[in-house]
Short mmCIF file of all heavy atoms in Angstrom, two decimals:
data_model
loop_
_atom_site.label_atom_id
_atom_site.label_comp_id
_atom_site.label_asym_id
_atom_site.label_seq_id
_atom_site.Cartn_x
_atom_site.Cartn_y
_atom_site.Cartn_z
N LEU D 19 0.82 -1.22 -0.01
CA LEU D 19 -0.01 0.00 0.00
C LEU D 19 0.85 1.26 -0.01
O LEU D 19 0.37 2.35 -0.39
CB LEU D 19 -0.97 0.00 1.19
CG LEU D 19 -2.06 -1.06 1.15
CD1 LEU D 19 -2.89 -1.00 2.42
CD2 LEU D 19 -2.91 -0.91 -0.08
N PHE D 20 2.11 1.16 0.42
CA PHE D 20 2.98 2.33 0.40
C PHE D 20 3.24 2.79 -1.04
O PHE D 20 3.62 3.94 -1.26
CB PHE D 20 4.30 2.05 1.12
CG PHE D 20 5.09 3.28 1.35
CD1 PHE D 20 4.76 4.16 2.34
CD2 PHE D 20 6.25 3.53 0.60
CE1 PHE D 20 5.50 5.33 2.57
CE2 PHE D 20 6.99 4.66 0.80
CZ PHE D 20 6.62 5.57 1.80
N SER D 21 2.99 1.95 -2.02
CA SER D 21 3.17 2.39 -3.41
C SER D 21 2.21 3.49 -3.78
O SER D 21 2.52 4.33 -4.63
CB SER D 21 2.97 1.18 -4.35
OG SER D 21 1.67 0.70 -4.30
N PHE D 22 1.06 3.59 -3.09
CA PHE D 22 0.15 4.71 -3.30
C PHE D 22 0.75 6.04 -2.85
O PHE D 22 0.53 7.08 -3.43
CB PHE D 22 -1.20 4.47 -2.64
CG PHE D 22 -1.95 3.28 -3.18
CD1 PHE D 22 -2.47 2.34 -2.38
CD2 PHE D 22 -2.12 3.13 -4.57
CE1 PHE D 22 -3.16 1.26 -2.88
CE2 PHE D 22 -2.79 2.06 -5.09
CZ PHE D 22 -3.32 1.10 -4.23
N VAL D 23 1.54 5.97 -1.77
CA VAL D 23 2.22 7.15 -1.28
C VAL D 23 3.29 7.55 -2.31
O VAL D 23 3.46 8.75 -2.58
CB VAL D 23 2.83 6.87 0.11
CG1 VAL D 23 3.71 8.05 0.54
CG2 VAL D 23 1.75 6.61 1.13
N ILE D 24 4.00 6.59 -2.87
CA ILE D 24 5.00 6.85 -3.88
C ILE D 24 4.34 7.50 -5.10
O ILE D 24 4.85 8.48 -5.67
CB ILE D 24 5.78 5.60 -4.27
CG1 ILE D 24 6.64 5.16 -3.09
CG2 ILE D 24 6.63 5.80 -5.50
CD1 ILE D 24 7.34 3.84 -3.27
N ASN D 25 3.17 6.99 -5.52
CA ASN D 25 2.43 7.59 -6.63
C ASN D 25 2.08 9.05 -6.34
O ASN D 25 2.22 9.91 -7.21
CB ASN D 25 1.14 6.81 -6.91
CG ASN D 25 1.38 5.49 -7.54
OD1 ASN D 25 2.47 5.19 -8.00
ND2 ASN D 25 0.35 4.65 -7.55
N ALA D 26 1.64 9.33 -5.13
CA ALA D 26 1.28 10.69 -4.75
C ALA D 26 2.51 11.62 -4.80
O ALA D 26 2.45 12.73 -5.32
CB ALA D 26 0.67 10.72 -3.36
N LEU D 27 3.63 11.14 -4.29
CA LEU D 27 4.85 11.94 -4.30
C LEU D 27 5.32 12.22 -5.72
O LEU D 27 5.77 13.31 -6.04
CB LEU D 27 5.94 11.26 -3.50
CG LEU D 27 5.68 11.13 -2.00
CD1 LEU D 27 6.78 10.30 -1.32
CD2 LEU D 27 5.56 12.49 -1.35
N LEU D 28 5.20 11.21 -6.60
CA LEU D 28 5.61 11.40 -7.99
C LEU D 28 4.68 12.37 -8.70
O LEU D 28 5.11 13.18 -9.55
CB LEU D 28 5.66 10.07 -8.73
CG LEU D 28 6.79 9.14 -8.31
CD1 LEU D 28 6.68 7.81 -9.03
CD2 LEU D 28 8.13 9.78 -8.55
N LEU D 29 3.38 12.34 -8.39
CA LEU D 29 2.44 13.26 -8.98
C LEU D 29 2.71 14.70 -8.51
O LEU D 29 2.66 15.65 -9.32
CB LEU D 29 1.00 12.84 -8.68
CG LEU D 29 -0.11 13.56 -9.46
CD1 LEU D 29 0.09 13.37 -10.96
CD2 LEU D 29 -1.45 13.03 -9.03
N LEU D 30 3.01 14.86 -7.24
CA LEU D 30 3.37 16.19 -6.74
C LEU D 30 4.66 16.68 -7.40
O LEU D 30 4.74 17.87 -7.76
CB LEU D 30 3.57 16.13 -5.22
CG LEU D 30 2.32 16.10 -4.37
CD1 LEU D 30 2.66 15.81 -2.91
CD2 LEU D 30 1.57 17.42 -4.48
N CYS D 31 5.60 15.79 -7.57
CA CYS D 31 6.88 16.15 -8.25
C CYS D 31 6.62 16.53 -9.70
O CYS D 31 7.20 17.51 -10.22
CB CYS D 31 7.85 14.98 -8.12
SG CYS D 31 9.51 15.37 -8.69
N ALA D 32 5.75 15.82 -10.37
CA ALA D 32 5.42 16.11 -11.77
C ALA D 32 4.74 17.50 -11.88
O ALA D 32 5.01 18.25 -12.82
CB ALA D 32 4.49 15.05 -12.35
N ALA D 33 3.88 17.82 -10.92
CA ALA D 33 3.23 19.13 -10.92
C ALA D 33 4.29 20.23 -10.74
O ALA D 33 4.26 21.26 -11.43
CB ALA D 33 2.17 19.19 -9.84
N TRP D 34 5.23 20.02 -9.84
CA TRP D 34 6.27 21.01 -9.60
C TRP D 34 7.15 21.19 -10.82
O TRP D 34 7.45 22.32 -11.22
CB TRP D 34 7.09 20.58 -8.39
CG TRP D 34 8.20 21.50 -8.05
CD1 TRP D 34 8.13 22.73 -7.48
CD2 TRP D 34 9.60 21.26 -8.30
NE1 TRP D 34 9.36 23.28 -7.36
CE2 TRP D 34 10.30 22.38 -7.83
CE3 TRP D 34 10.31 20.20 -8.83
CZ2 TRP D 34 11.67 22.49 -7.90
CZ3 TRP D 34 11.68 20.30 -8.92
CH2 TRP D 34 12.35 21.45 -8.48
N ILE D 35 7.56 20.07 -11.45
CA ILE D 35 8.42 20.16 -12.63
C ILE D 35 7.67 20.82 -13.78
O ILE D 35 8.24 21.62 -14.54
CB ILE D 35 8.93 18.75 -13.04
CG1 ILE D 35 9.89 18.24 -11.97
CG2 ILE D 35 9.60 18.78 -14.39
CD1 ILE D 35 10.28 16.79 -12.16
N SER D 36 6.38 20.50 -13.96
CA SER D 36 5.62 21.11 -15.05
C SER D 36 5.53 22.62 -14.92
O SER D 36 5.57 23.35 -15.90
CB SER D 36 4.23 20.47 -15.15
OG SER D 36 3.40 20.89 -14.07
N ARG D 37 5.42 23.12 -13.69
CA ARG D 37 5.40 24.56 -13.47
C ARG D 37 6.74 25.18 -13.80
O ARG D 37 6.80 26.34 -14.24
CB ARG D 37 4.93 24.88 -12.08
CG ARG D 37 3.44 24.64 -11.86
CD ARG D 37 2.92 25.24 -10.60
NE ARG D 37 3.59 24.75 -9.38
CZ ARG D 37 3.26 23.64 -8.73
NH1 ARG D 37 2.27 22.91 -9.17
NH2 ARG D 37 3.91 23.29 -7.66
N LEU D 38 7.83 24.44 -13.63
CA LEU D 38 9.14 24.94 -14.01
C LEU D 38 9.24 25.15 -15.53
O LEU D 38 9.95 26.04 -16.01
CB LEU D 38 10.27 24.00 -13.58
CG LEU D 38 10.53 23.91 -12.07
CD1 LEU D 38 11.63 22.86 -11.79
CD2 LEU D 38 10.93 25.24 -11.51
N PHE D 39 8.54 24.33 -16.30
CA PHE D 39 8.51 24.44 -17.75
C PHE D 39 7.42 25.38 -18.25
O PHE D 39 7.18 25.50 -19.44
CB PHE D 39 8.30 23.05 -18.40
CG PHE D 39 9.52 22.18 -18.33
CD1 PHE D 39 9.56 21.08 -17.53
CD2 PHE D 39 10.67 22.50 -19.08
CE1 PHE D 39 10.67 20.27 -17.48
CE2 PHE D 39 11.80 21.71 -19.05
CZ PHE D 39 11.80 20.60 -18.24
N GLY D 40 6.71 26.02 -17.33
CA GLY D 40 5.68 26.96 -17.70
C GLY D 40 4.33 26.33 -18.00
O GLY D 40 3.44 26.98 -18.55
N ILE D 41 4.19 25.05 -17.69
CA ILE D 41 2.91 24.36 -17.86
C ILE D 41 2.19 24.44 -16.52
O ILE D 41 2.71 23.99 -15.51
CB ILE D 41 3.10 22.90 -18.25
CG1 ILE D 41 3.96 22.79 -19.53
CG2 ILE D 41 1.75 22.21 -18.39
CD1 ILE D 41 3.34 23.41 -20.76
N GLY D 42 1.03 25.00 -16.49
CA GLY D 42 0.32 25.19 -15.25
C GLY D 42 -0.48 23.99 -14.80
O GLY D 42 -1.71 23.96 -14.94
N PHE D 43 0.23 22.97 -14.31
CA PHE D 43 -0.46 21.79 -13.76
C PHE D 43 -0.31 21.90 -12.24
O PHE D 43 0.78 21.93 -11.72
CB PHE D 43 0.16 20.52 -14.30
CG PHE D 43 -0.37 19.26 -13.71
CD1 PHE D 43 -1.71 18.93 -13.80
CD2 PHE D 43 0.46 18.35 -13.04
CE1 PHE D 43 -2.22 17.77 -13.25
CE2 PHE D 43 -0.03 17.18 -12.50
CZ PHE D 43 -1.38 16.90 -12.61
N TYR D 44 -1.45 21.95 -11.58
CA TYR D 44 -1.45 22.17 -10.13
C TYR D 44 -2.08 20.99 -9.38
O TYR D 44 -3.16 20.54 -9.76
CB TYR D 44 -2.21 23.46 -9.78
CG TYR D 44 -1.57 24.68 -10.37
CD1 TYR D 44 -1.97 25.18 -11.59
CD2 TYR D 44 -0.52 25.32 -9.72
CE1 TYR D 44 -1.38 26.29 -12.14
CE2 TYR D 44 0.09 26.44 -10.26
CZ TYR D 44 -0.35 26.92 -11.48
OH TYR D 44 0.26 27.99 -12.03
N VAL D 45 -1.42 20.54 -8.36
CA VAL D 45 -1.94 19.57 -7.42
C VAL D 45 -1.79 20.21 -6.05
O VAL D 45 -0.68 20.51 -5.63
CB VAL D 45 -1.17 18.22 -7.49
CG1 VAL D 45 -1.75 17.23 -6.50
CG2 VAL D 45 -1.22 17.66 -8.89
N ASN D 46 -2.90 20.38 -5.37
CA ASN D 46 -2.90 21.18 -4.14
C ASN D 46 -2.82 20.30 -2.88
O ASN D 46 -3.78 20.14 -2.14
CB ASN D 46 -4.15 22.05 -4.08
CG ASN D 46 -4.15 23.08 -5.18
OD1 ASN D 46 -3.13 23.63 -5.50
ND2 ASN D 46 -5.30 23.28 -5.81
N GLY D 47 -1.65 19.72 -2.65
CA GLY D 47 -1.41 18.98 -1.44
C GLY D 47 -1.30 17.48 -1.64
O GLY D 47 -1.47 16.92 -2.72
N PHE D 48 -0.99 16.82 -0.51
CA PHE D 48 -0.72 15.39 -0.55
C PHE D 48 -1.98 14.57 -0.86
O PHE D 48 -1.96 13.66 -1.69
CB PHE D 48 -0.11 14.92 0.78
CG PHE D 48 0.06 13.42 0.83
CD1 PHE D 48 1.10 12.82 0.18
CD2 PHE D 48 -0.87 12.62 1.50
CE1 PHE D 48 1.24 11.42 0.19
CE2 PHE D 48 -0.72 11.24 1.54
CZ PHE D 48 0.33 10.65 0.89
N TRP D 49 -3.09 14.86 -0.16
CA TRP D 49 -4.29 14.03 -0.35
C TRP D 49 -4.86 14.14 -1.76
O TRP D 49 -5.27 13.13 -2.34
CB TRP D 49 -5.32 14.31 0.76
CG TRP D 49 -4.86 13.73 2.05
CD1 TRP D 49 -4.43 14.46 3.14
CD2 TRP D 49 -4.70 12.33 2.35
NE1 TRP D 49 -4.02 13.57 4.14
CE2 TRP D 49 -4.20 12.28 3.66
CE3 TRP D 49 -4.95 11.15 1.68
CZ2 TRP D 49 -3.92 11.06 4.31
CZ3 TRP D 49 -4.68 9.96 2.29
CH2 TRP D 49 -4.18 9.92 3.61
N PRO D 50 -4.94 15.33 -2.35
CA PRO D 50 -5.36 15.37 -3.76
C PRO D 50 -4.39 14.57 -4.67
O PRO D 50 -4.82 13.91 -5.62
CB PRO D 50 -5.34 16.86 -4.09
CG PRO D 50 -5.60 17.53 -2.80
CD PRO D 50 -4.89 16.67 -1.78
N ALA D 51 -3.09 14.64 -4.35
CA ALA D 51 -2.12 13.84 -5.12
C ALA D 51 -2.34 12.38 -4.89
O ALA D 51 -2.20 11.53 -5.82
CB ALA D 51 -0.70 14.22 -4.76
N PHE D 52 -2.63 11.99 -3.69
CA PHE D 52 -2.90 10.57 -3.36
C PHE D 52 -4.08 10.07 -4.17
O PHE D 52 -3.99 9.03 -4.82
CB PHE D 52 -3.18 10.43 -1.85
CG PHE D 52 -3.48 9.03 -1.42
CD1 PHE D 52 -2.44 8.13 -1.13
CD2 PHE D 52 -4.80 8.57 -1.31
CE1 PHE D 52 -2.71 6.86 -0.73
CE2 PHE D 52 -5.07 7.28 -0.90
CZ PHE D 52 -4.02 6.40 -0.62
N TRP D 53 -5.21 10.75 -4.14
CA TRP D 53 -6.39 10.32 -4.87
C TRP D 53 -6.18 10.44 -6.38
O TRP D 53 -6.66 9.56 -7.13
CB TRP D 53 -7.63 11.09 -4.42
CG TRP D 53 -8.00 10.75 -3.01
CD1 TRP D 53 -7.90 11.59 -1.94
CD2 TRP D 53 -8.47 9.49 -2.52
NE1 TRP D 53 -8.28 10.91 -0.80
CE2 TRP D 53 -8.64 9.63 -1.12
CE3 TRP D 53 -8.76 8.27 -3.10
CZ2 TRP D 53 -9.10 8.59 -0.33
CZ3 TRP D 53 -9.21 7.24 -2.30
CH2 TRP D 53 -9.36 7.42 -0.94
N GLY D 54 -5.48 11.45 -6.81
CA GLY D 54 -5.18 11.59 -8.24
C GLY D 54 -4.28 10.47 -8.73
O GLY D 54 -4.49 9.91 -9.82
N GLY D 55 -3.26 10.12 -7.95
CA GLY D 55 -2.41 9.02 -8.32
C GLY D 55 -3.17 7.69 -8.36
O GLY D 55 -2.92 6.84 -9.22
N LEU D 56 -4.11 7.51 -7.44
CA LEU D 56 -4.92 6.31 -7.42
C LEU D 56 -5.78 6.22 -8.68
O LEU D 56 -5.88 5.18 -9.33
CB LEU D 56 -5.79 6.30 -6.17
CG LEU D 56 -6.51 5.04 -5.80
CD1 LEU D 56 -5.50 3.92 -5.48
CD2 LEU D 56 -7.42 5.26 -4.62
N ILE D 57 -6.39 7.35 -9.04
CA ILE D 57 -7.23 7.36 -10.26
C ILE D 57 -6.40 7.13 -11.50
O ILE D 57 -6.78 6.36 -12.40
CB ILE D 57 -8.04 8.71 -10.33
CG1 ILE D 57 -9.02 8.76 -9.18
CG2 ILE D 57 -8.75 8.80 -11.66
CD1 ILE D 57 -9.69 10.14 -9.01
#
């Protein structure tokens, strides 16, 4: 089940990197990233 936490962290990281490239992809916190990674 810890793999879901890894998915959330990678999704948060992807949002951060995308903003560095000027792409406005926003994930507002760990729990939205957790559920987004699950979906």
Side-chain angles (χ1 to χ4, degrees):
L19 293 177
F20 192 74
S21 64
F22 296 131
V23 173
I24 292 174
N25 288 348
L27 295 174
L28 290 177
L29 191 58
L30 283 170
C31 188
W34 179 74
I35 292 171
S36 71
R37 287 193 302 274
L38 290 177
F39 286 111
I41 304 296
F43 176 58
Y44 297 95
V45 179
N46 297 320
F48 174 78
W49 288 109
F52 179 85
W53 293 110
L56 192 65
I57 294 169

